[in-house]
Amino acid sequence: MLANLYVENLALIERLELELGPGFNVLTGETGAGKSLVVDAVNLLLGARASGELIRAGAERAVVQGIFLCPAAPPLVSRLAELGLAPEPDGTIVLSRELNRSGRNLCRVGGRVVGLGVYQELGRFLVDVHGQHEHQSLLEPQAQLLLLDSFGGQALLAARREVSAAWQRWQEAAALLADWQRQEEEEERLKELWAYQVAEIDAARLRPGEEEELEAEARLLAAVEQLAAATTGAYQLLYGGTGETSAYDLIN
C-alpha cells in the first residue's frame, strides 16, 4: 500500500506531501484542481516515460518519492531477495525517481540506484493502475508466474532463486565466452591486416634516403610553372629577340 507520496518541482507542483491512510482513499476537486497531476506523479513513481518538460519552470530537477507498506506476499519478497534488496526494518520500501534537465534520470529502491527495467518491475508489484485502455498486472506473464510459484511456498521460491542464480551465472559465462571469441576474431583480423601491410612495404622496395629524394622531387614539381616561365624568359633573352637584340645576335 502507498502510505506517503512526495512530489517536488513536477509541472505546476512546487512541493507536495500526501499521507494516505489504510482502506479507501479518495481525491476530489473541480476540473483543473490538479488531480491528474497526482496520478501522473504516481505513474512516474512506477517508471512511466519521463522527459525534462515535466520539470517545473525555473527548477533543474524534479523528484517523486513513495513510501510503501511492503506486503508479505512471497512474490515481491522473493524478487527483492533475488536482486539483493530488502524492505526497511519497519516493513516499508521506498521508491524514488529523480528527473534532471540534462536528461539523466535516477531510479532508486531503498536508496540504491537500479535500472529502469528493474524499477518498473518492482513498481508493478506495489501498484496497479486501472484506467481506460490500460493493462492490468494480472495479464502480465511475469506476474502470473510469480503468483503460481507462490503457491509452492518458501521451498519452491528458494528453488526458484537457485535456478535464477544458476541461469544468471550461465548468462555471464556465455557473455564471457562470446567476448573471448570476438577478441580472437579481432586478433586474426589484425594479423591479416599487418601481413598485408608488411607485404606492401616489401613490394615497395624502400631504400635509405628515398623519402628525402621524393620530397625534393615533390618540391621541384610544385615549382614547375615558375621554372617553365623562367626558362622561356631566358630563351627569349638568348635567341628570341628581333632586330639583332637577342644575346645570340649581338654576339654575332
Side-chain angles (χ1 to χ4, degrees), residues 1 9-10 52 54 56 65 72 85 96 102 115 124 133 146 172 183 187 191 207 211 222 243-244:
M1 185 191 86
N9 293 327
L10 180 67
L54 296 174
R56 186 171 180 267
Q65 177 178 287
L85 299 169
S96 65
S102 61
R124 286 192 289 267
H133 306 304
L146 288 172
E172 293 173 354
Q183 185 176 356
E187 290 176 354
K191 286 180 182 178
R207 64 179 187 278
E211 183 177 0
E244 297 183 352

Side-chain angles (χ1 to χ4, degrees), residues 38-186:
V38 177
V39 177
D40 292 341
V42 173
N43 284 327
L44 282 175
L45 185 62
L46 300 178
R49 180 176 296 181
S51 67
E53 297 177 355
L54 296 174
I55 300 175
R56 186 171 180 267
E60 291 299 320
R61 66 166 193 163
V63 177
V64 181
Q65 177 178 287
I67 300 177
F68 296 86
L69 299 179
C70 186
L76 175 59
V77 176
S78 174
R79 186 56 181 143
L80 287 172
E82 291 174 2
L83 297 170
L85 299 169
E88 299 295 328
D90 60 357
T92 62
I93 183 170
V94 180
L95 268 64
S96 65
R97 193 171 181 194
E98 179 181 322
L99 312 179
N100 292 276
R101 290 198 181 277
S102 61
R104 184 185 180 190
N105 297 334
L106 295 177
C107 301
R108 292 184 176 89
V109 177
R112 174 179 158 187
V113 177
V114 298
L116 181 59
V118 172
Y119 186 83
Q120 292 172 333
E121 179 186 357
L122 295 177
R124 286 192 289 267
F125 286 113
L126 297 166
V127 176
D128 197 4
V129 178
H130 297 267
Q132 188 177 12
H133 306 304
E134 291 183 344
H135 67 278
Q136 301 178 13
S137 62
L138 187 59
L139 302 179
E140 297 181 5
Q142 185 67 21
Q144 296 169 6
L145 288 173
L146 288 172
L147 288 173
L148 181 62
D149 289 344
S150 66
F151 283 100
Q154 293 298 327
L156 180 58
L157 292 174
R160 184 179 185 275
R161 287 194 293 270
E162 292 178 3
V163 172
S164 177
W167 181 83
Q168 184 65 33
R169 290 194 298 272
W170 176 77
Q171 288 288 94
E172 293 173 354
L176 184 60
L177 176 61
D179 185 60
W180 285 343
Q181 290 173 340
R182 285 193 297 269
Q183 185 176 356
E184 185 177 1
E185 292 173 357
E186 179 65 14

